[in-house]
Amino acid sequence: MPASFSDLKPALSDLSLKKRLVLVHASPIVNADALLAALLETTGGFMTPTFTPKALLPIDYHPVHNKTDVKNLAESFTPSMPADEAFGKFPELVRSHAKAKRSLHPVLSFTGIGADDAIHTQTIHEPYAPIAAMAEEEGVVLLIGMDQRVNVSIHYGEKLAGRMQFVRWALTESGVIECPNFPGDSG
């Protein structure tokens, strides 16, 4: 049975997160409503990935070599595009909250509440800038019902360690755009 607000609030309060920015990864089976309510009361601000792989063109796509109709290959990203369902209900619940802000990366966006400065550091060239901003503020990663395999901050660490980054392409309302510094598969 998923944890309730009355379970989550004291557990999160014990972590002393009120003055820290938190990157949240929540299991799809977590009670998203209870988690959101508890985070609003126990953190100074938080963000979560709202990735949209539906906007990503196939790995072998390159605009110079591929002249097919891209509308058949991907969905056009818009800021209102829902977060990928694989992340569970929590990211979409946060994204649709009245106080939430979302970055505009067509594939690797973040959304959050009270995390505006970190979220707005993201650019197409620096997809993991919100994680860098969080680290500079001594922020923390909170994994709820998840393990490190889903922790997207690992990609930022990989970049700092010199791991090769890639170029991918995404479909937006403005057409196809290049997405440099794309991470490799961490799986």
Side-chain angles (χ1 to χ4, degrees):
M1 181 169 155
S4 67
F5 174 79
S6 59
D7 296 324
L8 290 167
K9 184 179 178 192
L12 292 174
S13 293
D14 287 349
L15 297 175
S16 301
L17 301 174
K18 203 64 167 162
K19 295 182 180 180
R20 302 185 94 176
L21 183 58
V22 182
L23 174 62
V24 180
H25 293 287
S27 166
I29 63 169
V30 165
N31 179 335
D33 293 305
L35 177 58
L36 177 58
L39 287 166
L40 288 169
E41 291 195 22
T42 61
T43 68
F46 60 92
M47 62 184 176
T48 190
T50 46
F51 295 176
T52 51
K54 291 178 183 178
L56 193 60
L57 289 159
I59 198 161
D60 60 350
Y61 177 87
H62 191 290
V64 171
H65 306 295
N66 195 325
K67 301 299 180 194
T68 59
D69 183 9
V70 293
K71 291 181 173 108
N72 295 326
L73 300 175
E75 283 185 38
S76 182
F77 173 80
T78 67
S80 63
M81 179 182 265
D84 189 73
E85 293 174 359
F87 284 92
K89 295 178 182 174
F90 181 71
E92 186 56 21
L93 182 64
V94 176
R95 186 196 68 78
S96 61
H97 191 279
K99 293 183 180 177
K101 302 292 183 210
R102 184 183 196 176
S103 64
L104 298 177
H105 194 285
V107 181
L108 302 173
S109 66
F110 291 85
T111 193
I113 298 172
D116 300 9
D117 291 345
I119 287 170
H120 292 306
T121 61
Q122 188 181 52
T123 66
I124 197 71
H125 295 282
E126 294 297 333
Y128 288 101
I131 295 170
M134 181 192 74
E136 287 175 19
E137 294 182 32
E138 297 184 20
V140 296
V141 176
L142 182 62
L143 303 171
I144 301 179
M146 311 287 271
D147 62 30
Q148 289 292 343
R149 290 177 290 182
V150 300
N151 183 353
V152 299
S153 66
I154 290 171
H155 292 306
Y156 175 63
E158 290 169 340
K159 182 177 180 187
L160 291 177
R163 183 173 187 202
M164 179 186 282
Q165 304 290 288
F166 300 92
V167 174
R168 296 291 303 271
W169 284 267
L171 184 59
T172 69
E173 294 175 302
S174 304
V176 175
I177 65 166
E178 183 178 89
C179 300
N181 296 312
F182 208 87
D185 181 9
S186 61

